[in-house]
Amino acid sequence: MNIEEYAWNNHEQKIKEKYGFSYSSPKIKIVDNIELRNQIEETLEKLPQKFLAKWALNVALEHLDHLDQQLVNDPRITLGIETLEKRINGDIRAFDLRKVGFIVNELAKESTTEASKYAARSFAQAVASGHMRGHAMVSSDYAVKLVNYISNKSSVAAMATKERERQLRIAEELL
């Protein structure tokens, strides 16, 4: 795959060309299965950005049912999905996507529960993956953070592993 397919952002293209692949660290505190997280990153590295963005959206959409009741049918969700799809199809610029990303991010700010905040942040980061690849892993980490939050204390690690396995299946389907 050529560098323009790998990343749409010039900064990420230059980093890829200069340094190649390296694992990222979560930007948030989570209980996680690091081996599976690394495996996901290795798999995502093989995907062009448009498929990476589709992956991130699929990861996040699964958890939108955890949004607060007043946000579940919010039109900003549809706006985020449609705008990301337009970006994936090359119909809009990154600038236009970023404007919508800020609007979508307000869902997290308006959330009253932690579960809703994490679901909304996962979704907002998924939308932002149409701008920069790095947002995709942040989106998936917020999905794990949500699973950490809603799990019983005794099953947090097992549920994180289950979520990472789901995320890996989605990525493998896109290959």
Side-chain angles (χ1 to χ4, degrees):
M1 126 182 56
N2 68 43
I3 197 69
E4 289 82 20
E5 291 174 316
Y6 171 79
W8 297 328
N9 178 281
N10 287 334
H11 175 71
E12 288 183 320
Q13 290 173 1
K14 289 175 186 172
I15 289 173
K16 171 70 172 171
E17 288 175 327
K18 187 172 183 177
Y19 301 108
F21 171 73
S22 63
Y23 296 106
S24 67
S25 298
K27 312 264 186 283
I28 56 175
K29 185 178 177 184
I30 54 177
V31 174
D32 201 2
N33 182 320
I34 298 301
E35 290 176 15
L36 277 176
R37 187 182 190 281
N38 288 345
Q39 191 175 349
I40 289 167
E41 280 198 290
E42 290 170 10
T43 303
L44 296 179
E45 189 69 7
K46 301 171 190 169
L47 294 176
Q49 186 161 350
K50 70 179 181 177
F51 290 111
L52 176 89
K54 289 179 182 185
W55 172 81
L57 185 59
N58 285 330
V59 167
L61 288 176
E62 176 77 16
H63 298 295
L64 288 182
D65 60 340
H66 292 283
L67 289 174
D68 293 335
Q69 190 58 44
Q70 76 274 13
L71 300 174
V72 170
N73 295 314
D74 194 289
R76 291 172 288 190
I77 296 168
T78 304
L79 175 66
I81 294 167
E82 290 174 353
T83 304
L84 181 57
E85 288 173 353
K86 286 178 184 175
R87 177 70 176 141
I88 289 168
N89 294 330
D91 297 332
I92 63 169
R93 303 169 300 157
F95 177 80
D96 302 315
L97 177 88
R98 289 185 71 220
K99 287 193 303 188
V100 170
F102 291 122
I103 294 168
V104 169
N105 195 47
E106 292 175 7
L107 294 168
K109 294 176 183 175
E110 294 172 19
S111 292
T112 57
T113 64
E114 292 300 305
S116 182
K117 287 177 191 174
Y118 300 143
R121 287 178 181 153
S122 177
F123 179 65
Q125 291 289 328
V127 171
S129 70
H131 166 57
M132 291 185 76
R133 289 181 67 91
H135 289 290
M137 280 309 295
V138 179
S139 173
S140 76
D141 289 344
Y142 270 114
V144 170
K145 180 81 171 179
L146 169 63
V147 169
N148 287 176
Y149 181 76
I150 62 175
S151 299
N152 295 328
K153 291 201 184 289
S154 62
S155 65
V156 169
M159 295 306 290
T161 294
K162 186 176 177 182
E163 172 62 19
R164 288 297 189 194
E165 289 170 344
R166 182 185 77 84
Q167 293 176 5
L168 184 59
R169 278 192 306 275
I170 295 168
E172 288 171 342
E173 288 170 7
L174 289 170
L175 279 176

